[in-house]
Amino acid sequence: VYATNNGTIVEMRRDRWNYGTHIIIDHNNGYWSTYGHMQNFASGIKLGDTVARGQLIGYVGASGAATGPHLHFEIRVGANKYANVVDPLPYLRKW
């Protein structure tokens, strides 16, 4: 799993439920990306790190409430990491 754009890791947790092993990146422009159900984090990645677009941040898995291996990916737009979820496709093309 690779970071979709430059930003700061603001959440990095291993949950038994919901998103499971997941990362949230603040892109410092009102956009946030979430990467959920990962198997593990990339070596050396930690909370508060600044990551670059295309940087390895983790590995696809089936943690949390997943029923099979996949990446749950979200883009959120707004003032914080709990902002409105939007269709990520237009943002991926833009970045």
Side-chain angles (χ1 to χ4, degrees), residues 14-21 36-38 61-68 70:
R14 296 178 190 275
D15 255 342
R16 293 185 67 195
W17 311 106
N18 301 320
Y19 292 140
T21 299
H37 303 300
M38 295 189 299
S63 62
T67 57
H70 71 285

Side-chain angles (χ1 to χ4, degrees), residues 51-81:
V51 295
R53 179 181 182 176
Q55 182 176 342
L56 180 67
I57 59 171
Y59 303 94
V60 172
S63 62
T67 57
H70 71 285
L71 175 67
H72 180 103
F73 176 68
E74 293 179 349
I75 294 289
R76 293 179 179 252
V77 179
N80 61 51
K81 64 185 176 185

Side-chain angles (χ1 to χ4, degrees), residues 22-60:
H22 67 279
I23 288 178
I24 300 177
I25 298 175
D26 176 1
H27 298 289
N28 303 307
N29 57 3
Y31 294 94
W32 311 74
S33 55
T34 301
Y35 311 80
H37 303 300
M38 295 189 299
Q39 176 185 12
N40 209 347
F41 304 119
S43 179
I45 295 290
K46 63 186 182 310
L47 186 65
D49 278 356
T50 298
V51 295
R53 179 181 182 176
Q55 182 176 342
L56 180 67
I57 59 171
Y59 303 94
V60 172

